[in-house]
Amino acid sequence: MSKFMFASALVATLVVVSPLRAADTVVSGPTGLYRVSTIESLKVFNRSGDNLGKIKDLVLDARTGRVSYAVLDFGGFLGVGDKYFAVPWHAFKYETSNNEERLVLDVTKDRLKNAPGFDSKHWPNMADPTFSQGIEKFYGPEPTARR
């Protein structure tokens, strides 16, 4: 079993994940704790209100118990031509708008189209430091206060 598959299996078995919010996230619940099933399939928008896709999966760091990446499903039609992006969890803000929970990612559609991505059959090795460095370079490093 690969490290990624182990992390996915671990995430799938959790009922509650450690605090799933960035440092400045607006959270609708009193604890800031959410089930993985609540996060998966959440719609993702940018600051302009453009729909960027939905969360396909979460990648958990088994050493720390924290969510490292959310896998964003963007583009395509009915699952054909979809492109996935591993986005650092800290890059999202969790918000409630018009009684709808959603994630907000501060990136334009055009910039996202040029982000490092992958398809559903060719997932990258997310434990590879080169991969994580490329993602951090694109989306920005985690705020120091959260490390």
Side-chain angles (χ1 to χ4, degrees):
M1 180 183 280
S2 72
K3 289 179 185 177
F4 174 75
M5 289 174 59
F6 170 76
S8 291
L10 187 57
V11 168
T13 60
L14 292 176
V15 175
V16 177
V17 177
S18 61
L20 294 178
R21 57 185 181 150
D24 59 346
T25 299
V26 177
V27 181
S28 61
T31 65
L33 300 175
Y34 294 89
R35 293 174 15 165
V36 170
S37 59
T38 302
I39 302 299
E40 290 178 329
S41 298
L42 269 181
K43 292 179 183 175
V44 178
F45 294 87
N46 64 17
R47 291 271 159 239
S48 300
D50 298 323
N51 187 338
L52 299 179
K54 64 181 179 177
I55 299 300
K56 185 70 174 175
D57 210 338
L58 297 175
V59 179
L60 177 73
D61 182 333
R63 296 166 300 164
T64 65
R66 291 179 55 201
V67 173
S68 293
Y69 304 105
V71 177
L72 176 63
D73 181 354
F74 173 72
F77 181 71
L78 297 176
V80 177
D82 287 2
K83 187 172 180 185
Y84 292 170
F85 302 91
V87 180
W89 185 250
H90 65 79
F92 292 100
K93 284 187 74 174
Y94 193 89
E95 296 181 346
T96 303
S97 177
N98 298 324
N99 293 325
E100 179 184 36
E101 294 177 331
R102 65 187 194 169
L103 293 172
V104 177
L105 180 61
D106 194 13
V107 65
T108 65
K109 278 188 169 186
D110 286 337
R111 180 156 166 78
L112 185 60
K113 287 177 186 175
N114 295 313
F118 54 98
D119 66 56
S120 64
K121 295 190 181 355
H122 301 97
W123 284 60
N125 177 1
M126 295 182 180
D128 178 1
T130 305
F131 173 79
S132 60
Q133 289 166 2
I135 297 299
E136 293 295 329
K137 183 176 179 181
F138 188 85
Y139 293 101
E142 181 175 8
T144 307
R146 291 276 300 149
R147 289 186 181 164

